[in-house]
Amino acid sequence: MRTLMRQTALELILIVRMRWPLLLPPAAGAYMWLQLINISPTGSQDLYLHMLYALGRLHTFAIGLPVLLGILLVRRDILHYAYEWLRAASITNHTFLLSKASAGILYLSLIPLFIDLVYLLACWRQGLSLSYSWSQISLVTVHMLGAHAISLLLGITLGVLLPSRFALPVGFCAWVFGSVFIQLFIVGNYSLYPLKAFYLNHLLDNPFLLNEGWLGPLAGAELERLFPFVLLFGVFLLSLSWAVLGHERPERPRRTGWIICLSALLIAAAGYIPYGQMWMERYSSRQMLMETSPQQHLSRANEVFAFEVSRVKLDVRLQEDESLAVEARIEFPVRNGRPLSVLNAAQPPEYREPGRLTFLLHPGMRIKQAAVNGKPVDYIRTGDRFSIDEKLLEPNQEIQSVSVIYEGQITSWGYNGPREFMFAFASRDAVMLPGSIGWYPLPGGHSLFHINGDQLFERLDTTRYLSADFDVTVSGFGNLPLYATLNPDPAAPDGVQHYSGLDTAAFTLYGGLFEEVRIEGEPITIITTGGNRRESERFLKELHKRRLYYEEWLGTSLDRIRYIAYFPMDAFGSRYQQWINERTGNTVFLGEMLHNNLDAYRLHTVLRYMLFGDRSEVSFADKNDSAQSIVYELRETILDIYNIEHPGNSRFWHRQGMTFTPLSGPGNNRGGSAGEYLSHFLSAAAAEGQIGRLKDTLKHFYERGLHIKLNEYGGSYREEEYNSRQYRKITLEDWHRVWESYGR
Amino acid sequence: MKLSASKLGKRYYGGEWGLRPAELHFGPGMHGLLGPNGAGKTTLMRLLAGLLRPTTGRAELDGLNVIHPRQRRRIGYVPQTFQMYPSLTGREWLMHRVMSTPGKPFPDRRQASEQVDKVLLDVNLTSHADRPARTYSTGMMKRLGIAQAIVVNPDVIIVDEPTAGLDPEERLRLRNVLAEASLTRIILLSTHILSDIEASCGSVLVLKEGTAAYQGNLTGLASFAEGKVWTWEAAQDEWRRYGPSRLMSARRTEEGFICRTLAEEPPNRYARLAEPSLEDGYMALIGLPSGGGAFL
């Protein structure tokens, strides 16, 4: 040990005296500093997100350093012909290798050290506590250390195996392969995600790392399983180097080296087993979803089969093995013994199975018992649904109920080309259970997922027409802060959380290491990560001012929204875009992105939800057809009038000009004239002191409803039909008529 | 103390023998190692130093295989080409060498430092000891090579052409250092400079085409030329006619050249038998290709 320590110290001195390596850690820190101090006000203010993206880029290049260093460390002396004398030194081969590895790792740890120091300093400047900041960066630091160590050992092994003239180019290829190529071209193209074990860089485009609130359960759990393998593989590389070095500098019988090397390889392979098992579980879970899901072109719209539900009662418990155990009771109205279609309450929906009521339920859930109106009944479980004989309903009962007790693993992994994600996950450290994924029975419906090629997508329409009274009890998550798209009741002391809501949409449950950001007087709470606290407070202040303005003007309480969930949503959903500005129940999900933040666009999105109940930004006006509706333009004018009345307000919160997205048809100028006309109208009214009249006119239309609703799909299920909408028809003529009426 | 080799041989890839199986024995003292280029000297030295795994047989130091890691601190090796970490000073490296040697030959730092000072003095590097090795001349580097080999007091020192490229004064100093070290150690000195062998070694090993052609004292080697060394005085025309390449030496005089050659028969009627030197014996043993002028 004494010799090893002395030799390590010598190797460190030699690295230090090379001088150039000393420049690199401060340079890495300086790069990070530049990334963190110059954050654009129009981008996310989350330091963690900026650090992670910057680190992804930096690490891609920096990981070449350990490979190069590893080659140099062995090729500059012990295997250099002019240092043959050193082979006669009384230092064993393994001491040589271990000292080089130790010194290299110690030196390379300076890079994460500088980065961490810079990050902690930047966080401290932003008022974040050191303990919180450290908890954010610790996993990334461990990954960097591990990646540097294994890359160094790879370099040492290449250096031992090959002469410099070959080791250096092969090392270069190994760097490119491990840091970029394998993930972009092999794993991405061929979906061979178990090969992630051989990534040298997990920081590049890793959606599981982006959300610091879910860091541990998503990225952490995976790296935790990977780390023993990396460690053991590192030992194998060292033993391989040792065995090969034994040829150049014999110490023991040659066979001994190779036996140890082979043993290390087998142990490393054994170390892969837990990681491999994780992937087997993920792939088999995905395969199960694939087998139970139809091809997209064979999918039919869910609402065709969906029926109305009056009440959903759920008792959800996270079990010891982090599976869900649920007792669900679904109450639904019937007419003539048949449920009511969500599309037309006068008639029943289409049945997927003749004479049987079907519910969609995630295939991972195993039903233990089903009951109709409290009486146990037989059921048929088929793929992603279960069905009950319609005849089991009480003939003379208006409201029927189906109860079902089930349990299973809801955590479902998926990928879409090079992007991996979770459809849903539940653990004691994080949970995301989108209401549309079928973790509780969804009435009717065609399927939860559909397949396109070899890709699996969750369907976006499973809960479009679901509206019921919800009563949900959640337990088993310990101290994990839980949030939902329903209003919570005060938590019981034993961690049981209760949520309820009347006539509300699908129930989404989520939780993680998030913070609740509130300001005095504003009923909306932002659920976000610690790094977004300041930005969220600023956003809430502006939102509150506008709330007061609109509530006073319009004389109504804008209480549709209670929560804004603002954090990176990249980790879940096959199409994470759907969560960028999405509303479920009382919550607006604002996906955090590096180059977008809680800015004017997000503010107006939330305001649209608060004022109109939707966020549609589609114009229906047509400058060549004055009979078309100007509903969109009216909504936008309502949003803009605040700025007219508050000219001193920061331009930062000004919405960009009215967007005119043509619905269809030729030309790209549809809708142009009505918006411009109303904009001018607004300016002119302000100039002429007729704002009051303008507000009265707008209020007139607001009170009659400016909601824009997505239309049903009808027969086949095609998501591109999103532009089919329901809205009030308000023409320019209507506008002038009302305007004139307020002028009298 | 005994360094021995039993059937020690090394065959390289392709089947060519670098050293044919040989039985060798070395006791304390300085032993010369001679042989033409490619004869297997370096292979033998590396085998004896435990740096090369033999194809046949084994080398032992006091009965234990030299490949064993424990033997490393007992054998010092100085190859012909020697480079040193350019950023380290001579003293730093020697201190590290001493302090990191297992078994604590010098129990504390003070004793280690004294040993380093002594060795630096022996090799005349004291005044440069604290300068980075990148500033050392070739000769200083050679001396540092010797110093790193002897600083841990090994039982065996194997030195490959240590005096090549050194000025006479340095050669003498180095020779004396090795001579002093040989009083208590086995020193194997490979060189092409026969005078170094003559001046320092008690015995010599001659390798020829991978085979140990001779191991014994110097007189024994010289005796290979007994009755074969001829000398005569030749005029310039005669010297030219005979061919300078066939001569061991030709010293110019006022009247021509005093020639000396090796031959079984007198090269001419004026030639007289002369007393063989070590060089004569060596040349007689290994011979030379005929194209270059065979002596025998």
Side-chain angles (χ1 to χ4, degrees), chain A residues 635-655:
Chain A
R635 288 157 49 116
E636 300 302 286
T637 308
I638 288 174
L639 293 174
D640 283 349
I641 203 165
Y642 177 88
N643 294 330
I644 297 292
E645 287 217 282
H646 298 81
N649 201 27
S650 166
R651 297 280 308 167
F652 180 80
W653 296 112
H654 280 212
R655 190 178 63 87

Side-chain angles (χ1 to χ4, degrees), chain A residues 7 17 77 84-85 250 252, chain B residues 46 72 83 85 92 96:
Chain A
Q7 194 63 23
R17 292 198 183 162
D77 52 23
E84 193 185 13
W85 55 273
R252 302 192 191 286
Chain B
R46 295 178 71 202
R72 286 244 160 78
Q83 255 184 41
Y85 298 112
E92 280 175 333
H96 172 75

Side-chain angles (χ1 to χ4, degrees), chain A residues 10 37 47 80-81 102 151 154 168 277 306 353 394 489 500 540 572 594 601 668 670 681-682 711 716:
Chain A
L10 178 80
I37 59 163
L47 285 176
H80 193 289
Y81 76 97
S102 309
S151 306
L154 179 64
L168 287 171
Q277 274 177 337
E353 299 171 26
E394 291 289 339
D489 298 332
S500 58
L540 282 179
F572 67 92
L594 188 65
Y601 179 75
N668 56 6
R670 286 173 62 101
F681 213 98
L682 185 59
N711 234 342
S716 64

Side-chain angles (χ1 to χ4, degrees), chain A residues 44-52 119 123 126 128-129 132-140 206-220 429-430 511-515 528-533 566-571 592:
Chain A
S44 169
Q45 303 298 299
D46 188 351
L47 285 176
Y48 174 77
L49 207 57
H50 282 272
M51 180 273 293
L52 204 60
Y119 178 69
C123 288
Q126 213 182 64
L128 293 169
S129 74
Y132 177 77
S133 310
W134 174 246
S135 72
Q136 288 178 308
I137 202 171
S138 52
L139 183 72
V140 177
N206 186 344
F208 293 158
L209 278 173
L210 289 177
N211 190 331
E212 65 213 68
W214 290 334
L215 202 55
L218 293 184
D429 300 316
L513 295 177
F514 300 124
E515 294 191 11
T528 187
T529 54
N532 289 315
R533 173 168 282 280
Y566 178 61
F567 39 75
M569 311 276 180
D570 310 51
E592 183 188 352

Side-chain angles (χ1 to χ4, degrees), chain B residues 51-159:
Chain B
L51 305 182
L52 202 59
R53 196 184 295 277
T55 311
T56 63
R58 57 196 270 157
E60 291 178 345
L61 178 59
D62 292 337
L64 182 62
N65 197 331
V66 294
I67 280 179
H68 197 283
R70 207 187 309 156
Q71 296 285 45
R72 286 244 160 78
R73 68 189 161 103
R74 299 187 63 196
I75 302 173
Y77 177 60
V78 188
Q80 189 178 355
T81 310
F82 179 87
Q83 255 184 41
M84 180 52 200
Y85 298 112
S87 59
L88 286 186
T89 68
R91 188 189 303 280
E92 280 175 333
W93 172 249
L94 293 180
M95 275 302 286
H96 172 75
R97 187 91 163 85
V98 172
M99 297 298 288
S100 62
T101 298
K104 294 193 177 183
F106 304 96
D108 57 43
R109 193 171 181 82
R110 187 182 56 80
Q111 288 185 11
S113 182
E114 284 173 3
Q115 168 70 358
V116 169
D117 286 343
K118 177 182 173 300
V119 171
L120 284 168
L121 190 65
D122 288 345
V123 297
N124 193 26
L125 272 180
T126 305
S127 58
H128 299 91
D130 297 311
R131 281 170 44 187
R134 63 173 171 271
T135 63
Y136 287 13
S137 66
T138 310
M140 288 157 72
M141 200 61 99
K142 289 251 179 195
R143 281 181 273 151
L144 182 60
I146 301 289
Q148 64 83 25
I150 64 176
V151 74
V152 290
N153 283 337
D155 294 327
V156 177
I157 300 174
I158 298 171
V159 197

Side-chain angles (χ1 to χ4, degrees), chain B residues 39-281:
Chain B
K41 296 191 299 293
T42 303
T43 300
L44 174 63
M45 285 188 292
R46 295 178 71 202
L47 285 167
L48 292 175
L51 305 182
L52 202 59
R53 196 184 295 277
T55 311
T56 63
R58 57 196 270 157
E60 291 178 345
L61 178 59
D62 292 337
L64 182 62
N65 197 331
V66 294
I67 280 179
H68 197 283
R70 207 187 309 156
Q71 296 285 45
R72 286 244 160 78
R73 68 189 161 103
R74 299 187 63 196
I75 302 173
Y77 177 60
V78 188
Q80 189 178 355
T81 310
F82 179 87
Q83 255 184 41
M84 180 52 200
Y85 298 112
S87 59
L88 286 186
T89 68
R91 188 189 303 280
E92 280 175 333
W93 172 249
L94 293 180
M95 275 302 286
H96 172 75
R97 187 91 163 85
V98 172
M99 297 298 288
S100 62
T101 298
K104 294 193 177 183
F106 304 96
D108 57 43
R109 193 171 181 82
R110 187 182 56 80
Q111 288 185 11
S113 182
E114 284 173 3
Q115 168 70 358
V116 169
D117 286 343
K118 177 182 173 300
V119 171
L120 284 168
L121 190 65
D122 288 345
V123 297
N124 193 26
L125 272 180
T126 305
S127 58
H128 299 91
D130 297 311
R131 281 170 44 187
R134 63 173 171 271
T135 63
Y136 287 13
S137 66
T138 310
M140 288 157 72
M141 200 61 99
K142 289 251 179 195
R143 281 181 273 151
L144 182 60
I146 301 289
Q148 64 83 25
I150 64 176
V151 74
V152 290
N153 283 337
D155 294 327
V156 177
I157 300 174
I158 298 171
V159 197
D160 193 0
E161 296 201 42
T163 54
L166 297 186
D167 62 41
E169 187 188 347
E170 288 299 338
R171 266 178 64 193
L172 190 61
R173 180 186 289 274
L174 213 55
R175 229 158 55 187
N176 290 339
V177 168
L178 292 173
E180 188 187 340
S182 70
L183 294 175
T184 54
R185 299 179 180 87
I186 300 168
I187 295 192
L188 189 59
L189 172 68
S190 164
T191 181
H192 291 296
I193 303 170
L194 291 177
S195 60
D196 284 346
I197 302 264
E198 221 159 7
S200 327
C201 299
S203 73
V204 66
L205 168 67
V206 179
L207 291 178
K208 181 183 176 185
E209 293 171 357
T211 305
Y214 173 78
Q215 184 177 19
N217 58 30
L218 304 185
T219 319
L221 179 58
S223 68
F224 276 91
E226 198 72 56
K228 297 170 186 168
V229 183
W230 304 92
T231 182
W232 74 99
E233 188 166 4
Q236 191 164 338
D237 288 350
E238 193 185 348
W239 170 73
R240 279 215 182 92
R241 213 168 38 244
Y242 190 78
S245 61
R246 296 172 63 190
L247 295 170
M248 289 284 288
S249 67
R251 181 163 54 85
R252 193 173 186 119
T253 63
E254 284 181 3
E255 295 169 354
F257 291 87
I258 294 182
C259 300
R260 187 182 170 95
T261 191
L262 275 172
E264 295 287 354
E265 300 296 330
N268 55 54
R269 57 194 171 112
Y270 307 109
R272 297 283 178 270
L273 272 174
E275 193 66 27
S277 66
L278 186 69
E279 187 179 21
D280 297 329

Side-chain angles (χ1 to χ4, degrees), chain A residues 376-676:
Chain A
V377 295
D378 289 335
Y379 60 91
I380 297 175
R381 183 81 162 112
T382 314
D384 61 354
R385 65 180 187 269
F386 69 91
S387 65
I388 288 166
D389 193 339
E390 189 186 33
K391 293 183 186 128
L392 296 171
L393 299 179
E394 291 289 339
N396 302 318
Q397 201 169 304
E398 281 188 13
I399 300 291
Q400 310 273 346
S401 76
V402 169
S403 304
V404 58
I405 299 173
Y406 57 90
E407 63 180 17
Q409 283 288 350
I410 191 69
T411 300
S412 314
W413 170 85
Y415 62 83
N416 191 350
R419 177 179 169 263
E420 53 176 327
F421 54 83
M422 292 288 181
F423 288 112
F425 54 90
S427 75
R428 262 170 207 85
D429 300 316
V431 57
M432 180 66 203
L433 296 175
S436 57
I437 210 75
W439 61 276
Y440 57 85
L442 299 174
H446 186 261
S447 65
L448 289 169
F449 300 87
H450 68 72
I451 302 169
N452 190 345
D454 63 344
Q455 306 292 330
L456 179 71
F457 298 93
E458 76 276 28
R459 288 183 56 162
L460 306 179
D461 65 338
T462 50
T463 55
R464 276 184 59 200
Y465 287 82
L466 179 62
S467 180
D469 299 342
F470 272 83
D471 182 334
V472 184
T473 305
V474 179
S475 62
F477 287 90
N479 297 322
L480 179 69
L482 289 174
Y483 308 97
T485 52
L486 293 178
N487 294 334
D489 298 332
D494 56 354
V496 176
Q497 183 67 60
H498 185 251
Y499 302 91
S500 58
L502 298 178
D503 195 17
T504 185
F507 177 71
T508 293
L509 181 74
Y510 62 102
L513 295 177
F514 300 124
E515 294 191 11
E516 296 176 26
V517 182
R518 296 190 186 88
I519 63 164
E520 196 178 342
E522 173 56 46
I524 289 183
T525 301
I526 296 185
I527 312 298
T528 187
T529 54
N532 289 315
R533 173 168 282 280
R534 278 190 185 181
E535 191 183 357
S536 300
E537 286 173 350
R538 184 182 65 175
F539 184 82
L540 282 179
K541 281 176 190 164
E542 186 63 26
L543 188 68
H544 185 61
K545 283 193 282 183
R546 296 190 185 231
R547 170 195 291 281
L548 295 178
Y549 171 81
Y550 286 111
E551 286 185 346
E552 185 190 346
W553 166 30
L554 300 172
T556 182
S557 176
L558 303 176
D559 55 1
R560 285 191 179 96
I561 306 300
R562 279 285 175 266
Y563 293 99
I564 295 171
Y566 178 61
F567 39 75
M569 311 276 180
D570 310 51
F572 67 92
S574 61
R575 289 155 292 194
Y576 63 92
Q577 296 92 334
Q578 84 179 85
W579 294 95
I580 288 174
N581 294 302
E582 198 55 50
R583 174 197 170 193
T584 305
N586 64 3
T587 304
V588 177
F589 289 89
L590 296 180
E592 183 188 352
M593 291 178 288
L594 188 65
H595 300 298
N596 286 291
N597 62 349
L598 293 175
D599 55 9
Y601 179 75
R602 258 43 194 289
L603 178 73
H604 287 84
T605 299
V606 175
L607 284 170
R608 284 188 192 98
Y609 279 125
M610 290 167 64
L611 287 162
F612 314 117
D614 68 276
R615 66 173 182 91
S616 177
E617 292 179 74
V618 177
S619 171
F620 310 101
D622 186 341
K623 71 178 181 183
N624 298 319
D625 182 1
S626 60
Q628 294 299 321
S629 180
I630 59 167
V631 60
Y632 162 74
E633 285 74 11
L634 290 177
R635 288 157 49 116
E636 300 302 286
T637 308
I638 288 174
L639 293 174
D640 283 349
I641 203 165
Y642 177 88
N643 294 330
I644 297 292
E645 287 217 282
H646 298 81
N649 201 27
S650 166
R651 297 280 308 167
F652 180 80
W653 296 112
H654 280 212
R655 190 178 63 87
Q656 286 192 347
M658 227 180 269
T659 53
F660 305 111
T661 310
L663 271 173
S664 59
N668 56 6
N669 56 356
R670 286 173 62 101
S673 65
E676 287 163 11

